[in-house]
C-alpha cells in the first residue's frame, strides 16, 4: 500500500476540522457572551460613515470582575453598523453590527467564520424568527446561514440579547457548496435583479452573470424563456426557495418585496444561480399569506413557463 504524503493527510483532515468548529459553535445550545471595544476616533468615523469598516477589539467570554474590555485585550477586527430602514440604529443606541475577523489580521477567524453579524432584533421582540426560519430553510435542503444568540457589551454598555448570524463569507460558501469561487451578490434594498448589486465575494465589475439571467427573464416566448433560464438558474432550488418564503410568510423577502436576498453563481452547478435568504426577522405575521407572490420578476416570469406552475404546486403540497 502506498503511504499518503503528510501534506495530503493534512489537507484531508484540516478542512472538516474548520467546518466542524463552526458547526459545533452555531449548533451549540445557550448563549455566547461578547465584548466589543471601539476607540474614540473610530467611533467618530462610524458615526460619520456607519457602513465603513473601522478597527475594533473583540473578546468572547466573561471578563474578570465584569470589567470593560481594555484596548490591549481581545482580537483586532473590522467593525461596521448594518441594518436597513426598519432595523438600523446608531452607535449610541442598540446598533446591529457586522464583524469582519480578517479585515486587519489575515486568516484570523471566529469559530471558523471570517464574518458574522450581531442583529439587534428590533423588529422581532421574541428574538426567534431568525433562528427558526434559517433552521427550516436548512431542513428543507436549501442553502442558508444559521443563527444563535449572544449577549453583547459595546464599550462597556450592556446591550443585552442579540441574534448572532453566520456571515456569507468564503468559509460558509465552501462549507455549503463545496466551492467558494463563484460570485456572491447582495440583492440590495427592495430591488430586483435589474438593480445594481454589491459584489460580496468573487471577481469582476460588470456583473455579466446577473445580466444574462435578467435578459432570459425578459424573453417573450415562455418555452424559450424556460430553456434559457434552465441553463442559468437552478430551477428546482429556486421554486423550493419561493415555497419556503411563502411557508414562513416572509413578506419582506424576494418573492413579495424584492428584498433580503443574496445571489450565488455556483461553480458546482455549472455557474447556475442559487438564491439565498436573508433578513428573516419578520416571519409568520400573516396566517393567510399568499402561495403565489407577485413581485420577484425571476419567479413570476418563470411561473408562466410550461410546466413550472405544476412543479411549484407539487413542492408546496409535497
Amino acid at each position: 500500500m502506498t503511504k499518503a504524503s503528510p501534506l495530503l493527510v493534512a489537507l484531508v483532515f484540516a478542512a472538516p476540522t474548520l467546518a466542524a468548529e463552526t458547526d459545533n459553535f452555531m449548533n451549540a445550545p445557550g448563549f455566547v457572551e461578547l465584548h466589543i471595544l471601539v476607540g474614540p476616533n473610530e467611533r467618530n468615523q462610524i458615526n460619520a460613515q456607519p457602513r465603513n469598516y473601522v478597527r475594533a477589539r473583540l473578546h468572547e467570554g466573561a471578563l474578570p470582575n465584569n470589567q470593560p474590555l481594555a484596548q490591549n485585550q481581545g482580537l483586532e477586527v473590522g467593525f461596521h453598523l448594518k441594518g436597513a430602514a426598519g432595523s438600523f440604529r446608531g452607535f449610541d443606541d442598540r446598533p446591529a453590527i457586522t464583524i469582519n475577523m480578517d479585515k486587519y489580521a489575515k486568516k484570523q477567524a471566529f469559530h471558523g467564520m471570517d464574518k458574522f453579524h450581531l442583529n439587534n432584533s428590533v423588529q422581532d421582540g421574541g428574538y426567534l424568527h431568525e433562528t427558526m426560519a434559517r433552521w427550516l430553510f436548512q431542513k428543507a435542503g436549501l442553502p442558508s446561514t444559521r443563527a444563535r444568540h449572544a449577549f453583547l457589551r459595546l464599550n462597556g454598555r450592556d446591550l443585552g440579547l442579540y441574534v448572532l448570524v453566520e456571515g456569507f463569507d468564503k468559509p460558509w460558501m465552501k462549507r455549503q457548496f463545496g466551492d467558494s469561487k463563484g460570485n456572491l451578490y447582495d440583492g440590495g434594498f427592495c430591488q430586483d435583479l435589474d438593480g445594481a448589486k454589491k459584489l460580496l465575494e468573487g471577481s469582476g465589475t460588470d456583473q455579466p452573470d446577473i445580466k444574462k439571467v435578467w435578459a432570459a427573464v425578459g424573453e417573450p416566448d415562455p418555452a424559450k424563456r424556460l430553456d434559457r433560464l434552465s441553463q442559468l438558474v437552478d430551477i428546482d432550488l429556486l421554486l423550493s426557495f419561493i415555497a419556503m418564503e411563502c411557508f414562513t410568510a416572509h413578506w419582506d423577502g424576494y418573492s413579495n418585496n424584492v428584498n433580503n436576498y443574496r445571489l450565488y453563481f455556483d461553480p458546482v452547478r455549472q455557474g447556475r444561480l442559487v438564491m439565498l435568504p436573508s433578513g428573516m426577522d419578520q416571519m409568520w405575521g400573516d396566517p393567510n399569506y399568499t402561495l403565489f407572490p407577485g413581485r420577484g420578476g425571476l419567479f413570476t416570469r418563470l411561473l408562466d413557463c410550461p410546466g413550472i406552475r405544476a412543479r411549484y404546486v407539487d413542492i408546496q403540497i409535497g
Side-chain angles (χ1 to χ4, degrees):
M1 180 181 294
T2 304
K3 186 177 181 180
S5 70
L7 176 59
L8 178 59
V9 172
L11 289 174
V12 168
F13 287 99
T17 299
L18 290 176
E21 182 180 357
T22 306
D23 289 344
N24 290 339
F25 175 75
M26 292 306 302
N27 294 328
F31 307 88
V32 60
E33 181 177 340
L34 297 177
H35 298 256
I36 297 174
L37 176 67
V38 179
N41 292 335
E42 289 78 12
R43 176 179 170 181
N44 290 337
Q45 294 172 36
I46 279 291
N47 285 332
Q49 296 179 305
R51 286 176 172 79
N52 286 358
Y53 278 111
V54 299
R55 296 176 188 268
R57 308 294 295 188
L58 171 72
H59 173 82
E60 178 185 1
L63 289 169
N65 301 318
N66 205 29
Q67 292 295 310
L69 185 63
Q71 190 62 51
N72 61 350
Q73 291 179 301
L75 302 173
E76 186 174 56
V77 299
F79 171 105
H80 73 67
L81 305 191
K82 65 181 290 286
S87 61
F88 182 83
R89 298 292 186 274
F91 184 89
D92 295 319
D93 195 344
R94 288 189 71 247
I97 296 163
T98 292
I99 297 294
N100 187 330
M101 294 301 299
D102 61 354
K103 177 68 176 178
Y104 304 111
K106 296 304 178 186
K107 298 185 179 180
Q108 180 173 261
F110 181 78
H111 298 280
M113 295 181 284
D114 286 349
K115 293 180 184 178
F116 66 93
H117 309 285
L118 292 165
N119 291 349
N120 52 22
S121 201
V122 294
Q123 295 175 298
D124 172 23
Y127 291 80
L128 291 174
H129 285 190
E130 293 273 11
T131 54
M132 292 170 60
R134 292 168 189 277
W135 181 84
L136 284 169
F137 268 78
Q138 286 199 317
K139 290 301 180 182
L142 294 165
S144 174
T145 55
R146 292 167 291 190
R148 59 171 301 188
H149 294 95
F151 286 111
L152 174 64
R153 284 183 178 269
L154 175 61
N155 282 17
R157 291 191 298 130
D158 186 355
L159 299 186
L161 187 62
Y162 270 67
V163 179
L164 188 157
V165 181
E166 278 183 290
F168 290 105
D169 54 23
K170 282 188 177 295
W172 178 83
M173 292 156 62
K174 182 69 174 178
R175 291 192 300 270
Q176 191 69 62
F177 298 102
D179 192 319
S180 61
K181 297 182 177 65
N183 284 348
L184 175 70
Y185 299 93
D186 186 327
F189 180 65
C190 293
Q191 57 181 8
D192 215 324
L193 272 63
D194 56 336
K197 303 288 179 256
K198 180 180 179 181
L199 181 67
L200 300 177
E201 299 287 353
S203 60
T205 56
D206 294 334
Q207 304 178 359
D209 37 19
I210 298 179
K211 291 177 181 178
K212 286 180 182 178
V213 173
W214 194 248
V217 168
E219 165 62 52
D221 182 270
K224 292 180 180 178
R225 187 187 315 144
L226 177 58
D227 183 63
R228 290 176 64 179
L229 286 174
S230 295
Q231 305 304 312
L232 301 170
V233 178
D234 188 319
I235 301 294
D236 288 332
L237 212 58
L238 176 66
L239 295 177
S240 295
F241 171 89
I242 301 298
M244 280 301 299
E245 283 203 326
C246 295
F247 176 73
T248 55
H250 191 13
W251 72 267
D252 200 21
Y254 174 74
S255 56
N256 188 68
N257 203 35
V258 288
N259 199 26
N260 288 313
Y261 67 97
R262 303 291 185 268
L263 305 169
Y264 183 59
F265 290 86
D266 184 11
V268 176
R269 292 177 169 84
Q270 293 76 50
R272 287 181 173 85
L273 168 64
V274 176
M275 194 165 281
L276 309 170
S278 181
M280 294 185 283
D281 58 348
Q282 300 181 78
M283 319 296 281
W284 298 289
D286 182 1
N288 298 309
Y289 193 82
T290 180
L291 298 181
F292 294 93
R295 293 252 358 235
L298 175 56
F299 172 65
T300 57
R301 295 282 289 171
L302 180 63
L303 201 61
D304 291 336
C305 295
I308 293 298
R309 183 173 289 265
R311 285 166 63 179
Y312 176 65
V313 170
D314 284 344
I315 291 172
Q316 286 278 10
I317 65 177

